[in-house]
Amino acid sequence: MFAVRRFTQLEGWYLRAEVRPLKTSSNVLVRAFSVQHSFVTEDSTETPAKPRRSVFDIDKAELTAFVNGWDYEGENLEGDFETDDIVREDSDFVGYKKRKTSNRYVEYEEQEQSDYRKLEYRSRTQSTEHTGYEVIGRNKHLAPLNELSNFEDEKIEFEPMSVNKESDALDTLTDTDIVCDEKLVFEDDNVEFEERSASYKHQKLSHDVSEIDEKLEFEDVSQPRQVNKYNFQFESNTNDLGDYIPGLTYARWAQNSSTDKKVILEDIDLDYVERRTFSRLLQKLNNNPQRLSSDLFIDENVTVERFQKDEKQLERIAREQYSNTNKVDLPHLRLDVDEKLLYVDEFGHAAQKPRKWSKKYEFEKTDFYSEQTNKRVVPDVPLPELQPSGVDQPVQTPEPSSEQERLRYADDKTTDYCDFKKIQITGGDGGDGCVSFLKARHRNKGMPDGGNGGQGGSVYFEATNDIVSLHSVSLKIHGQRGSSGKAKHHDGKSGADVLIRVPVGTVIREVELSERDAESLPPNDDCFIHYPGWRNKNLHNIFTDTIKPISIPRQKLPELDLKTDGQKHLLCYGGLGGFGNPYYVTGQNKYPKFAMKGQKGQTRILELELKTIADAGLIGLPNAGKSAFLRSVSNAYPKVDSYPFTTIHPCVGTIQYPDLFNLTIADIPGLVEGAHRNVGLGHSFLRHIERSKVLVYVIDLARKAPWDDLSLLRSELELYKPGLAQRPSLVIGNKADISNVAKSNFEHLRSVAELQVVPVSAKLQKNIKKATSLLREMVESVAGQAC
Ligand SMILES: Nc1nc2c(ncn2[C@@H]2O[C@H](COP(=O)(O)OP(=O)(O)OP(=O)(O)O)[C@@H](O)[C@H]2O)c(=O)[nH]1
Ligand SMILES: [Mg+2]
């Protein structure tokens, strides 16, 4: 950790600013600042009787003045820091200078050594040691530190104060511009202190920092905010948490010994833990990742409902789930417990709202804490019923009322998804050969010495799992041209190859060049470079059958299916470099006055079609709950909403079974009647389930006649590709929680459908286990069969 700290002492106060960078690389991002000032008695050997620490926000202008104007050349430190305590040494440290400023960060880059010095100093009064790199700034302006002695009120107003003192500091720092809009961070220096938050107005600073002229108003941070921290305890077979811990900046974890299977994560502020990281961690810890999704579902019976971001949202969820069972006090995380996973605790903490980058903040334990046993207590929450709500009426899924509305939903401009593209790729041209003759004293006719041209760059395709769409592939792609040969037998350099990365599952087909495309290609008439004035003569003399330009034989590419990650193919050769004139020396012609031009690179027009590769594909009408089902069973997190065509491009999730078996499942947009006539979103997206070995029909049991929906889906599939509907299939009867109607519909559907029907509630996570195990059975039974 690198820190830039500066100290001073002024009228019994001292101020400290810390600049905490993001990484310890040569470019340091300044991320958070803390400024603290506390009272220090005049007699530095005594511990202050009642030291106080006040915390306030510091803004850009103040900090700039503060940093630039600081001077601690000894005298300012007297009193607090004895001269002997200050060990100043010139070190090898190469400091940092400002490189780029954005709203949030100041980026520093390496700076001359002479600009900075390394300091070690000890404050006797605070009995703490600090080591850090001090930036010796321009000693021009001081922040209005005098005002700080009057820091009694809630409001502080800073005035700039100029100091007429010149220093030999650097020009480079004059525009040091440090952004600080974060909550302050304070550490415990073994001194009790009072915290106070202050909202204050920033007054415009006039000189030298005049570029910062806006008036800043800070929000009032004195209002307490609810901070939710959770503790998790698991049994785990793995000790390998290293990868996951960095994401959990706000969690502490402990493992008693390497043999102990218990892993405890404490004080996790879910507002701050990245959702996916955390989910992955739990997955790893749990070692039973079957139902773990990014929504933090842990097991059939153990469900951490949601990240508690929004009290109201939580309340809504709780009321929905527990409507007929229990009223639960809010806001608390609900959890059902089984014997395997131990407990989850919850605290409602009243604490000051931490700003984004602040690392520490105080909280108090309030609920669910037993003072007798000094342990956290598990709240006793009964399990919910299978069908908690007694809704009799089916929830009618809204249909798009008009074509316009449908388009509005379908036209999601925020996503750049593309699964079909026609592109032109061209290999780089070869470099030209050179016509040159040795020039030497006393020789009026030197030998030919022209170099050969370099080869043009080729175009490769590589399949990768890193991308899921073709949108990043350019429409026209060229390999680099080889450079031409030069005199004195200097051959040209080869052009760089181009690698085009496409998602796994991309099918590449070559299309014949249309006449128009062929016309647009450069003509290939004269393939020779001529010595000045020799063109006609050359054409007349030497173009016999023996000297012919070499052309790359053109072969049509077979269809190429990139199915595995890392699969790489060369699709377009770059042209060969042309020969220099020495190549054409013969007995008859010792001084050839021509050389070969570089060959043209190959050109191909290709169609790229992305056909997602997944073991199972979800098919259903819009709003049937396909995405909700995918969310509940896999690690994917597609958007779920109550309007049709929520999903407009495919999304692939992975279901992970406890024995590490993985199964991929693709969610695609809703299919409607007449999709083959391009109604709805059409049926071109069915290409993404074309390769799935198992089809999963997701049927909304709350609709009037779900069996009709099923036959409609099957007939649309058949119209898209004959035989597709005959694949092994499973029917998921979703929304089974909508009780009476769903139940009767299910009975009927089961009797009518020739396929196996599993009732589930994707929303309430019911019967999911059965669905996933059936799905696995089917996938395993068809494993190895070609689709
Ligand atoms: N009551 C109930 N509602 C559900 C269930 N599953 C999904 N829903 C709701 O149904 C609506 C549609 O869910 P989605 O998952 O977006 O449906 P979809 O099939 O992906 O829809 P499209 O992407 O538009 O094709 C949402 O409002 C869900 O909350 C369920 O099991 N029970
Ligand atoms: Mg969807």
Side-chain angles (χ1 to χ4, degrees), residues 313-498:
Q313 187 194 357
L314 187 76
E315 185 167 357
R316 193 169 46 74
I317 295 161
R319 297 242 180 275
E320 261 175 39
Q321 290 211 4
Y322 293 81
S323 52
N324 278 353
T325 52
N326 234 6
K327 292 273 178 222
V328 184
D329 287 341
L330 295 168
H332 294 307
L333 187 73
R334 259 148 302 272
L335 188 78
D336 309 331
V337 183
D338 78 352
E339 72 286 347
K340 242 193 298 168
L341 302 171
L342 305 177
Y343 64 80
V344 173
D345 289 355
E346 45 211 51
F347 296 91
H349 302 303
Q352 213 169 350
K353 180 182 177 187
R355 294 286 181 86
K356 205 167 177 192
W357 301 116
S358 61
K359 290 217 165 175
K360 295 179 184 175
Y361 48 93
E362 301 297 311
F363 63 91
E364 284 172 11
K365 294 168 184 173
T366 52
D367 301 332
F368 301 108
Y369 192 82
S370 159
E371 291 203 344
Q372 288 89 29
T373 56
N374 204 23
K375 276 186 179 169
R376 285 150 193 163
V377 182
V378 186
D380 190 15
V381 182
L383 294 174
E385 294 291 317
L386 181 68
Q387 292 184 351
S389 73
V391 189
D392 283 335
Q393 290 304 312
V395 179
Q396 283 300 329
T397 47
E399 299 287 342
S401 59
S402 65
E403 180 71 0
Q404 234 174 14
E405 193 186 349
R406 184 188 68 72
L407 284 175
R408 186 162 62 81
Y409 290 135
D411 187 20
D412 187 351
K413 293 196 173 90
T414 54
T415 53
D416 293 331
Y417 186 83
C418 173
D419 53 10
F420 185 86
K421 221 169 206 181
K422 196 170 166 188
I423 64 169
Q424 178 178 340
I425 56 171
T426 313
D429 296 343
D432 298 337
C434 174
V435 191
S436 162
F437 298 95
L438 182 70
K439 289 187 186 90
R441 253 189 232 179
H442 315 302
R443 291 188 67 172
N444 56 1
K445 222 175 182 191
M447 294 305 289
D449 68 346
N452 301 327
Q455 193 177 340
S458 305
V459 183
Y460 291 83
F461 271 75
E462 188 184 33
T464 171
N465 278 328
D466 298 347
I467 51 177
V468 292
S469 155
L470 294 171
H471 78 271
S472 58
V473 180
S474 311
L475 293 179
K476 282 199 173 182
I477 295 158
H478 285 268
Q480 202 188 8
R481 189 183 189 283
S483 47
S484 303
K486 288 189 180 141
K488 297 185 186 169
H489 296 286
H490 284 175
D491 290 347
K493 204 173 145 191
S494 297
D497 294 336
V498 179

Side-chain angles (χ1 to χ4, degrees), residues 417 419 610-612 614 616-628 630 638-639 645-653 665-672 681-692 695-698 713 717 720 724:
Y417 186 83
D419 53 10
L610 175 59
K611 291 183 178 182
T612 306
L618 295 176
I619 303 146
L621 296 182
N623 253 343
K626 298 179 290 298
S627 307
L630 184 69
K639 191 175 171 193
F645 299 108
T646 314
T647 307
I648 57 167
H649 58 72
C651 168
V652 181
I665 181 163
D667 175 26
I668 55 169
L671 199 63
V672 289
L681 290 181
H683 67 180
S684 62
F685 53 78
L686 286 179
R687 63 166 70 102
H688 296 285
I689 49 133
E690 222 178 88
R691 301 178 186 226
S692 302
L695 302 181
V696 181
Y697 297 99
V698 181
L713 291 173
L717 282 193
Y720 172 75
L724 187 59

Side-chain angles (χ1 to χ4, degrees), residues 74 147 201 324 372 396 455 507 535 700 707 747:
E147 302 290 324
K201 261 189 185 168
N324 278 353
Q372 288 89 29
Q396 283 300 329
Q455 193 177 340
V507 178
R535 183 184 157 83
D700 182 352
W707 41 93
E747 297 298 342

Side-chain angles (χ1 to χ4, degrees), residues 5 48 62 133 161 299 330 348 351 420 456 497 511 564 585 630 709 730 755:
R5 294 185 173 125
E62 285 154 12
Y133 296 106
M161 187 185 91
D299 197 274
L330 295 168
F420 185 86
D497 294 336
V511 189
T564 47
V585 174
L630 184 69
D709 297 346
L730 177 70
L755 304 167

Side-chain angles (χ1 to χ4, degrees), residues 64 110 125 127 132 189 216 237 241 267 311 386 399 508 529 535 637 648 682 685 707 719 739 747 752 762 766:
T64 308
E110 290 183 357
T125 48
S127 64
D189 285 349
L216 299 172
N237 293 330
L241 297 173
D267 297 346
E311 255 180 49
L386 181 68
E399 299 287 342
I508 302 176
I529 303 272
R535 183 184 157 83
Y637 202 79
I648 57 167
F685 53 78
W707 41 93
L719 283 168
S739 55
E747 297 298 342
V752 181
K766 297 299 165 200

